[in-house]
Each structure stands twice: as structure tokens, then as C-alpha cells.
Amino acid sequence: MVKAVKGTIVKCDPAVKQVILSLDKKEKVIIEDLDDNHLLIDTSRVDYIKKEVEKLLEENTYKSELDKAPN
Amino acid sequence: MPTVIVAHFKTNIYEYLEALQKSTLDKLYEEPATCLAIFRLLPSLARQLVMSLLFSTQIMSKADLRQWIKNDKESLSKFEEALDKLQKLHIMIEQENKTIALNSSFKQKFQECLTGGGTHQSFGKLYNKPHRHSQSNSHKLPDIKTLDEHAKTKWEEILHFMVGTDRMNSPGASVLKVVTKANLMREKEGKGLEITNKGFQFLLQDVNTQVWAFLIQYLDLASEMLHMNVVEVLNFFFMLGSLELGQDYSVEGLTDTQRQLLDDLTNYGLIYRPKKSSKRYYPTRLATTLTSGNSAIVSNSSSNNPTDDDDSATEQGFIIVETNYKLYAYTSSQLQISVLNLFCNLQFQFSNMVTAELTRESVRKALKHGITASQIISYLTSHAHPQMKKRPALLPSTVVDQIQLWEMELNRLVITNSYLYKEFRTFADYEVVLKHANTLGVVVWSSDSKKMIGITEAGHERVKAFIKRKIVQRRSNGGDTTSSAGGTPAR
Amino acid sequence: MTKIINSNEELIDIDDEAQNANQQIGYAWEEEYKRSWDVLQEDEDGGLKHTVEHLQSRKRKRLERDTSIIKRGIIRHMFLIIDLSEAMLEKDLRPSRLDLTLSYAEQFILEFFDQNPISQLGVIVSKSGVAEKLMGLTGNPMDNINVLKKKNIDTDGEPSLQNALEMARSSLIHVPAHGSREILIIMGSLTSCDPGDINETIDNLVSENIRVSIVGLAAEVQICKLMCKKTKGTYGVVLNEAHFKDLLFEIIPPPPVSIVKSKSELVVMGFPRGVNESMPSLCACHSKPVSGGYICARCNSKICDLPTDCPICELTLVSSPHLARSYHHLFPVANFEEVPWSSAFTTHCYSCQMPFQTQPQVVKGRSNNVTSIDSSGRYNCPKCKKHFCIECDTFIHEVIHNCPGCLSTSENST
Amino acid sequence: MSVLKDTATVNEEDANLLVLIIDTNPIVWRKSNFSLKEALRHILVFINAHLALKHDNDVAIIASHVGVSKFLYPIPMTHENSDKTIFPNMYQKFRVIDEKVIANMSALFEDVDTPNNYPDKASSMMAGALSMALCYINRITKADEIGHVKSRILIISVSPDSPYQYISIMNCIFSAQKLCIPIDVCKVYGSDTPVFLQQASHITGGKYLKLEMPQGLLQFLMIAFLPDRYNKKYLCLPGEERVDFGAACFCHKKIIDVGYVCSVCLSIFCRPLDECSTCRTRLTLTSVRQNGRVI
């Protein structure tokens, strides 16, 4: 019979999806892998994922040496 | 485009006028200066239509008017738009017998405006009593520089107050009221006022837009709380727009309401008065450019007024943006610098300019404040240095694109709390539910191959009820209805 | 005073305009790296007026032209030969020799027809040792431009000067004697792949009175120089992009004719009537249905555009404005003369109402300042003695070809 | 060729510069049943209407008089005009321009010597006025670095064209065409021939209209000549018919279909001549066409 699962659907580009998948390996957050652009995740973990994705993307953003210097 | 800003201002005051009662509009049209100002707010084609009808004595129908318009889609849509606006503002009236006529008082007063008849004094009465003779000796008119100075300090005082750079000089109470009413600032618990996101956006607008936005809020306030007559207030605003900079005008002939207005407008820097009790007032540049939009300043430089030197042009544009995201702002105004600081990394400050850089961090900071990418871009566009305006594309496209990309980057995750429906027994079941959910408009995501549907939290209850109903229905119909319902057997 | 100007001349490199004027500068690669702000010289008040004024008077020098009334060959027949050899791919002219050539060729064609409306032009290209005629002689600029745009122009091998010249020559010998016969070559290659002796071709060209002008993109080539000299054409090698354009556009004004050689003739021309029909009918030139057009005055066939030759009866069809377009070559405006301060009494430009500056007062101790402002900014027409500003002077001689002063005062109007 | 800026495309936000050339030939005006004074009243309202359309619209007015053409507005002030009276019942800009035009116009008419000494009293100095208009537009366009000002010329014409001015008027027309400046012509009085001004409006994409009822001048101007270049895209305006370019021969001023043209000076003749009457070149008639066909 039909099941309804509560969660949060996240729409994202494939790159971000891979980031979330790698997070999932450390700690289970994904309820269902829907397709290339959508994931169903645990609602309580949304903020955690947001923060982690931000952090990971930040690390992967190119910064020139000049920009880093003053910091 | 700088035109965006102008259009923005126009729609603002325009929307306000549109919402007015017909009788109020009719009263407004009794002043030629107001007629002229409102006329200039109309779309170009509408202005032409008014002019064509203004001195015509013939009775026209809408079909007759349409004869003037080329028979192609673009022209006709422009024509419809023009007619629509004219009717909304009650300038053009479609009568019962399908004929179209100009509002009679508008027609009469606007004719007067062009031909120079009447005794309405709607373009301002000069103060020409005693000091006219004594002008040569001691009594000095404030020169344009003084007026500009006055306008600048007063207006920037308000902006400074909003940015919070200058807490010492709190502007008058009426300013505070307007600022809070417009939701540009809000009460912070116990600590006075704090700027809102809307306030940040306000700061990025050009001065003309700011002034109008402010005046419109003031108008609301005036009619609600101070019980002023809207018509008189508006007439006064529009009259200010037609005055000459550097001239002194007499308070004589002004209504009581308008005299009351003088005080507030002096506070905002639109008007300069030597003494509070003075019988004279001088409009500042903020006032005289009210109805012209900021484009007026650009063209003034080309018009042949050698006497009228345009130092406002320097006020107009001072920012140079390079393709490498470096930004040079030729300004020494603390206010402009703090506005720039909203979305730039300031680097060095010199006596007449600051250098700054648009970085990912600085722009993200602004975006998080609720300022949008398009606002940053339009600010940079409208304050671009005249040097930049010579180029076909005003801002470097790299910079524009990047600012937009940075905005998009912030929205890489779109999050919807929802319920995932899965394990439909048949494709038909899935299809029926999806169809129903679609009509409710609650589908977040669906997959035919997986037979799964994501439903928003809000839609969950209704979809659940639908499925229950269906199951009940099926049970009552017997077990074999599965195939008859959809026709596709389950796989 | 003039000495001062001359000493500064080599330095000025503010913009392209100035560079054009400065013909005696060397090749681009010989130039020293110059920063344009180096040449700015502030005057005593820290202003730049002086430098700007120099640039202006320099601009003016360029437009001093021969205004004596001479006979010019207004009906011209010209072939434009474009080299499409591999040498055209060189990027020493940006974006590449070929791209620049094509875009300049387009401008050239438009301007050519603008100034020589009843002339004819054809296009020949040459690559891998052969020549190809893209467009025969035609009076319609758009035909020529379209052919340059549409044909996917690619380069290959070496050009053949001789083949291209022979092809142009065979078309030009049929041209009536009242018109000039000209060939303009844009040559990127330093070599040519010819089937026979090019000297014979050159002799033939000379005997048939065909003028050959060449714009070289690489370096001077002896045979080109010889050919231009013998046929009384011009030969120039470009220094940079702007110079390239200058060389090309120098060809545009109609050349003076020596009456001995070319015969003066009466040419029969038709002045067709414009029609605007409610139903489209086929035109004789493209066989396409069109509703508007012109009807040939002799054979009544329908033509889309003027000026052209009637495709049926070959009558030259023009409209009277086309003829009028050439009149300014015949009646040029006299050069204006600079007005010295001593007679600079006018307050504003006669035609555009721009106020003139007044003569600086000689103040003690600041006399240097006075010498630096060397021109009064006024230029007077030798006929009507009205004063004009430099903008109007340039505009009058380059665009309008009318002196507003002479035309708006009664003394000189007839 | 920095003059050739993007003057062709127009936007709604553009400022419009209208250069108005008024033919003030008093002899011809006297012949018409409509006085110049009355016409001027209409024209001034029209100018105000043009200025009212947009805050940054501007205007220049040139009088094309007998024997002289002159700017009526703007005129650079030689001495600071301190007598700046403001009239509360009229928009300041309208007032200033109207006053100046009237004052300069009457100054023009006070000088009666020039017209009296001028031989050709039938025509006015249109070529000079047009040249001045173009110079003025050229200056304004150059000063306006961002291509914001769009110019056009309107000629209010009464007197017939002077054949002496043919070449210079044609030169003006071609310059206007090059600069993308439309020349509109409103013929208030007089016949349509010869057709220089008709050609002017046709070549530059302007309008040529002949006023049937002079008393309706204002309404006529408002409908047909007020629309700026942006609005013209959407409006059906009267007078779209084609102009005939029938050429007139130099010898008899006869309109001809096929003519003989001197290859040196391009003079047009209706019959073959041995010597060109314009440039004195000896001529032979070409009888053979390009491809050897005999006519």
C-alpha cells in the first residue's frame, strides 16, 4: 500500500548532490535518493547539511593568494 | 540601465496618482503646473495623443483615434497601454456615446500652461517687494552653491541617520515618523531605531527616487495624521518641480497647508529659507529636479546654458568599475562611502576618492542583508562616472554576470519540507494521485519510473484524504477494479 | 610659435586621430613604447587646455585640402582586388589582416558609392594562383557588400597578381571612355604566382589607361611600386590599422582628370519614375515580386533600386539627387583661415552659436601664459569673413560642403 | 568620422532637439491671407508643446529671411542679462524662449535694408539656414557624449525655392541624411514646385506636408509635426506618398525622363550639345554602350 514518508526534499545541482552524498557516508542523512537533482533528507538534519555544504563549497572556491594574504 | 531607476520612480508616484479618487484628480488638474508635471509622467505615446487632442475641436471616437496608429501589434499594444493610463488618470474620458474627450479642466488648464494665459500663479510667485531694489547693495540672494549645500546637508542628515554614522544629529520628528512608517527603520528593543532591509535597498536608489519615495510616504502621513489636503500638498510638490533654481519665491498666495509644508520640506532640504519667519523661500536642486527625473542632468550639459554650470553632474556619477572588479569612487562623502561599504571591500581612501573591490565576500554580505544583485547593479549603473557612460555597455559584463552568479550561488539548495509518497501498487494509482495533487498544486517532485510523488507539507492532509477515499472506493468496488481504474496492469 | 608646435609634434600620441595625422611616425614595431600621459603638459594653472588646443589645430591641418576648381573624373569604374592568400592570416593587424581588410572593404564600398554615386565597382579575389570575380561592375553598393559577406571567404596558397589584373583589365576595356578605369589592390602577400610576364600586363594596363593603386599590408614590393608608378596610381604600405584605413579612403575622392587623355562625353541617362503599386509585380533585376520600385524611362522594365543600369536596355538609371551628390567635388568650399587675436572681435561662432574665448589679458609677470595660448579659436571664411569655431570648420569642409556664412548673407549669395 | 554616432536608433528616454527654421520672407507672407504674426503665435504654442513633452527637450529657432538667415534662439548672451522677470502664470522655460524669439524676430524686421538690397526677393536664405541648423546640431551631438540627444529639423516654408540654392540645399540634404537627421517640411503657403524641400524630406525620411487651411496651423503642427522620432514609429502620419524625382534639364528647366549628362560636371541637358554650357568642355555623344550594343 502507499506509504508517505516525512522529510525534506532538497533541490540542488548534481555537484551539490555529490557533496550531500559524501556527507551521508559519514552520517546518515538521506532518506531517499530521488534523482540527479532531488534528494529526500531528514528534516532535522537540514541545517547541518546547509552548513556543511556551505563549508565544503567554501573550501572549493578558488581564492587567489592575494585575497588570502590580508586574512 | 539608468532608465530603470527613472521608470521606478515614475511608477511610484504614478501608482499613487492612479489610486486617487477621480474627484481628487479633477481638483488637481485645476493647476497648470500640476497638469504639466503629470503630463510628463505619461508614456511617450500618451503624451502625443494628448497633444493631438488638446487643440482639436472635433469629436473623436476611439476608432478615430486608432486611425492614427500604425496597424501592427507593437504599435497597437502601445496605443492600448497609453489609452489605459490616460483613462486611469482621468485625463481622457470615454463617454457613453463612445466618444473620447479630454478631461475638460485638464484641457483648459493645460492649454493655459502652453499659451501662458490665466492668473493662477501656479508656477510660483516671485518675492519681488523690498529687496528687488536693494538687491544690488547689501541684501544678498543665496547663491546656488549655498542652496546645494543646504540640500545636501539636510538630505544626507536623514540618510546618515539611517546608516547610523551620525547619531548625534537626530533629524526632526516628522522625519522619524516617515522613516518608521515607510518601514525603512524599525524600533529596536530599547535602543531606538535600526535600519531594515528595505532601508538598505532605499539607500541604493538615486536621490530623486529617494526623495519621491519619501514624499509619498509623507503624503500618506499628511493626509492620515496631519489632516492635510492631499490636493494642496501634491500641487505644491508639482509646483516646486517647475520653479527656477536660485530664485526667491514669495510665500504669499500659498494656502495654510502649504505654508505648513514649507517647514517640513525645509527640514528635508527641498527648500531653503533664510529665517523661519521669512516671507521668502528658495527651492533647492532637490525640488527643482523633482519632476524631471535624473536624466535631466545628463542632457542639461548639452543644452546651451552657459550660465547654468552643472556641478550636479559630478553628483550624478562618480563610480568607475573595472573588469577586474576594482572600483574607484570619486567621492568624499561619508555617506556614499558607507553605502559602498554595504557591498564593497573598501581599500584606500584619498582626499577625493576611495578605491574598493567587489569581492565574493563583500557581495555575499550584502546579499545576506536582503539587498538583491539587481539592486547592486542598478546602483552601480546609475552612479557610473560619465566616463563609463561613453561605452556601449556601461558596466563590464564580467562584473554584472559575476554579481548575479554570486546571488545564484547562495541559492544552491532549494529546500521544501514535504512528504514522499511511494510504493503505489499500480501505475494507475500513481497517475490518479499525481493528477489530483497537480490540480491542488502541491507537487514538489514526481517520478514516473519510480512511482514516487513529493507533496508539500501543506498539501499532505488533502492528498492523504484523497488516497483514503480512493481506497475506500476501491474496496467497495471489489478487488478487480485496479485494472479498470487505470487500464494499465501493475507490473 | 610654429617652432614650439613642431618640437612637440613627435610626442603627441593621445589618440588614433592624432596618430593618423602624424604621418611621419615609423612602423608600429619601431616605435618606442609611449605612455600617452607623458605628452600631456600642464600649463601654469595646471590645466591641459594647451595640449588639447595643439591637438585641435593639428586636426585642422589635416583637412586643408586642394580647393581649386578642377575637373574630376566623377564617373568611375573600379575593380577592388582582394588578396586571399595565406599571408592574409597574419595577425600583425588586429584581429587579423583578413578580418580587418574585409571590414574596411565594406566601409570603403559604402563611402565610395556615397561620394561617387554614379560610378561602378566590382570585386575580384585571388588565391592559390587563380583569380575569381566575385562581382562584376555594378552600380549597387549592396551587391558588392553582400558578396563579401555571404561568400565564405577562406584563404589558400599564393595570390596571382597577373591573373587578377588580367581579369580586371578584360572587364575594364569595355568601359566607355568618359569614365575612369581604376584598379585597387589590397595585397597582404609579398609574393605572387604568375603564369607569364607581369611586365607585359603592366604595359597593357598603361596603354589602356587603367590606373592601378595598391595598398600593401606587409612591406614594399618593387613590382607593385613600379606598376603604380607607371599607371599613375598610388602605392602605400600600411603602418598600423588606422593608417590602413587612411590609405584606402584616400582613393575615394574622385581623381582629377587630365582632359587630354580622357574624352569628355555626353552620357545618356534615364531618370526613372518611382511607382507604388497595390499588387506586387516581378522586378527585372532580381525577378522577385515587389510592390514599389522604379520604371525604366526607356524600356518600362521595373527596377528595385537606384542607381543602377537597366538590366534590359542597359540605360544608366539615376535619380537627380544622385547627380547632386557629386556636385560638392566640383564646387568645394574655400579653406578657412585662422584669425589672429588682433582681429578676434567676434563673441561667438557664426554657425553654431558657441561662445569664443576672449583674448587673455596680459598680466604682468604672467606673460608666458599668453604665448602659450597661440590660437584665437576662430577661423574665417575668406569670402564672407564670418568667424567659425574649429568644430564647424571641420564639419563644413568634411560634411556639409557649404559655407553657412556665404549662404546666409546677401553679398555673396549669387 | 566621429560624427557618425548611433544617431539612428531612438529610445523613449531620448531627449529631442528640434531645430525650427521659419521662413520669414515678408513679401511672400504679405501675399498670403495669413499673417506672420498670427503664424508665430501658433508656432510659439507648438514650441511650448514640444518643450512640454519632455523635461530635457530643447529647441533652436532660425529665421530664414530675405537676404539673411539668423538664429532667433538660442543666442549667446553678450552681457549678463540681469533683467530676469519671472511671470508666475507661465512655465519659466516657455516664457524665456517665447520672449527671445519675439524680440529677435522684431529686431530682424527692423532691419529693412538687407531685404531691400537683395535682388531675389521671392525666396529666402534657406540654404544658409539649413547649414546653420546642421552646424548647430553637429555641435550639440558632439557635446552629448552618450548619444542621448536626437535631433530633427522642421522647416516652416512659404517662399518658393531659389534655383541658385539648388547645389547648396542638396549638400545640406545629404549631410542631414548622413547624420540621420530627418527634415520635416510644413509648407504654409505657395506652390509645390520646384521641389527641393520635398526632396529634402523624402531623402532624409522626414515629412512634407502642405497646409490647406492656414488657420489650422497649430492643430496641424500638433498632429503631424510634434511626434518625436520615437513616436513616429507607432503613428500613421499623413503624407507618406512618394516623391517624384523628375530631373529638370539645365537649359530649359524642362522635366525629362531621359537626358544627356556632361561627364565632367554632371549638368543635365535635354538635347545633345557640342559644348557643355556649365563647364565649357567640348563634348562628344557616346553612342556605344558598355557591351558594344548600339543604341
Side-chain angles (χ1 to χ4, degrees), chain B residues 247-397:
Chain B
Q247 285 293 340
D248 52 341
Y249 292 88
S250 163
V251 292
E252 258 174 69
L254 295 182
T255 63
D256 287 345
T257 312
Q258 289 172 338
R259 281 175 203 230
Q260 209 179 323
L261 268 175
L262 280 179
D263 291 339
D264 282 334
L265 295 185
T266 313
N267 263 339
Y268 303 160
L270 269 76
I271 283 174
Y272 174 78
R273 296 173 83 187
K275 274 179 290 179
K276 227 178 174 184
S277 55
S278 171
K279 291 225 178 300
R280 279 172 284 158
Y281 67 93
Y282 305 85
T284 69
R285 208 180 286 274
L286 284 182
T288 54
T289 56
L290 259 185
T291 46
S292 54
N294 56 354
S295 54
I297 297 156
V298 181
S299 70
N300 262 358
S301 53
S302 59
S303 74
N304 29 64
N305 285 340
T307 47
D308 189 22
D309 57 319
D310 284 295
D311 30 350
S312 58
T314 50
E315 218 169 88
Q316 176 66 11
F318 56 90
I319 297 177
I320 290 180
V321 185
E322 292 186 340
T323 47
N324 57 6
Y325 305 97
K326 290 231 174 12
L327 192 145
Y328 305 90
Y330 289 85
T331 179
S332 49
S333 144
Q334 272 309 314
L335 180 74
Q336 293 297 358
I337 294 170
S338 46
V339 168
L340 280 175
N341 198 23
L342 287 177
F343 59 88
C344 293
N345 257 352
L346 296 181
Q347 289 176 320
F348 307 105
Q349 180 168 6
F350 302 94
S351 59
N352 68 337
M353 68 107 110
V354 284
T355 67
E357 201 176 15
L358 283 161
T359 65
R360 184 164 174 272
E361 295 316 314
S362 67
V363 173
R364 276 165 74 102
K365 190 181 78 194
L367 293 171
K368 282 178 183 162
H369 267 120
I371 296 170
T372 64
S374 54
Q375 279 170 337
I376 297 179
I377 293 165
S378 78
Y379 175 83
L380 290 176
T381 315
S382 60
H383 290 84
H385 195 277
Q387 201 70 29
M388 304 265 294
K389 290 186 175 146
K390 287 184 198 165
R391 302 159 12 107
L394 218 143
L395 295 176
S397 54

Side-chain angles (χ1 to χ4, degrees), chain C residues 26-316:
Chain C
Y27 290 98
W29 58 87
E30 290 177 353
E31 264 177 70
E32 251 181 85
Y33 180 71
K34 272 190 289 199
R35 290 166 298 185
S36 51
W37 55 89
D38 280 351
V39 294
L40 292 181
Q41 290 172 346
E42 292 179 12
D43 56 29
E44 281 187 1
D45 307 325
L48 294 172
K49 220 172 190 175
H50 183 50
T51 318
V52 174
E53 266 166 14
H54 264 196
L55 289 174
Q56 278 186 338
S57 54
R58 153 175 310 281
K59 217 189 256 176
R60 223 185 90 78
K61 281 209 184 82
R62 194 175 151 219
L63 57 96
E64 299 271 326
R65 53 177 87 175
D66 186 9
T67 59
S68 54
I69 297 178
I70 42 162
K71 291 178 178 169
R72 289 173 181 269
I74 281 170
I75 306 176
R76 305 170 72 182
H77 301 87
M78 179 186 275
F79 265 103
L80 175 64
I81 299 178
I82 299 178
D83 174 8
L84 284 184
S85 64
E86 276 171 356
M88 292 298 280
L89 291 178
E90 289 279 343
K91 300 228 188 283
D92 51 357
L93 299 172
R94 274 152 301 194
S96 77
R97 285 181 185 177
L98 182 65
D99 291 336
L100 194 69
T101 303
L102 291 179
S103 79
Y104 279 169
E106 192 183 323
Q107 293 173 32
F108 172 81
I109 290 167
L110 280 176
E111 191 68 21
F112 179 83
F113 278 104
D114 195 51
Q115 299 218 15
N116 308 282
I118 45 176
S119 300
Q120 300 199 313
L121 188 89
V123 181
I124 291 173
V125 294
S126 176
K127 64 181 169 189
S128 42
V130 292
E132 185 192 352
K133 195 192 287 180
L134 292 186
M135 180 52 69
L137 286 176
T138 164
N140 188 341
M142 288 326 285
D143 286 350
N144 283 308
I145 288 173
N146 287 340
V147 92
L148 284 181
K149 271 187 180 161
K150 272 182 197 159
K151 281 259 165 121
N152 48 338
I153 297 211
D154 43 355
T155 57
D156 192 27
E158 285 187 358
S160 173
L161 259 185
Q162 194 186 14
N163 282 338
L165 286 170
E166 285 294 342
M167 183 176 276
R169 190 177 72 93
S170 64
S171 303
L172 283 174
I173 47 175
H174 299 301
V175 154
H178 61 262
S180 72
R181 304 163 177 189
E182 294 168 70
I183 295 173
L184 170 63
I185 307 176
I186 301 176
M187 182 97 175
S189 170
L190 292 173
T191 55
S192 165
C193 174
D194 293 340
D197 183 4
I198 195 165
N199 288 310
E200 279 175 24
T201 309
I202 294 175
D203 290 341
N204 286 337
L205 290 170
V206 172
S207 67
E208 265 140 29
N209 213 358
I210 298 176
R211 182 197 305 257
V212 183
S213 300
I214 300 178
V215 176
L217 304 185
E220 194 169 281
V221 177
Q222 162 63 15
I223 192 71
C224 294
K225 195 174 182 182
L226 183 79
M227 176 157 50
C228 293
K229 201 175 161 198
K230 278 192 171 172
T231 60
K232 302 200 167 49
T234 56
Y235 180 49
V237 177
V238 304
L239 297 170
N240 50 40
E241 288 86 347
H243 186 221
F244 183 9
K245 191 169 177 180
D246 281 358
L247 284 180
L248 265 188
F249 278 50
E250 267 168 23
I251 316 281
I252 290 175
V257 281
S258 48
I259 298 134
V260 196
K261 273 193 181 165
S262 85
K263 279 183 283 176
S264 305
E265 291 176 10
L266 266 186
V267 189
V268 184
M269 286 188 189
F271 302 96
R273 294 182 184 279
V275 284
N276 218 345
E277 296 157 320
S278 52
M279 295 295 286
S281 59
L282 292 183
C283 69
C285 37
H286 312 92
S287 301
K288 277 184 193 146
V290 283
S291 58
Y294 300 88
I295 299 295
C296 170
R298 187 156 62 192
C299 68
N300 282 342
S301 46
K302 187 173 173 183
I303 300 104
C304 300
D305 224 349
L306 295 180
T308 187
D309 287 343
C310 171
I312 308 297
C313 68
E314 304 209 327
L315 178 67
T316 309

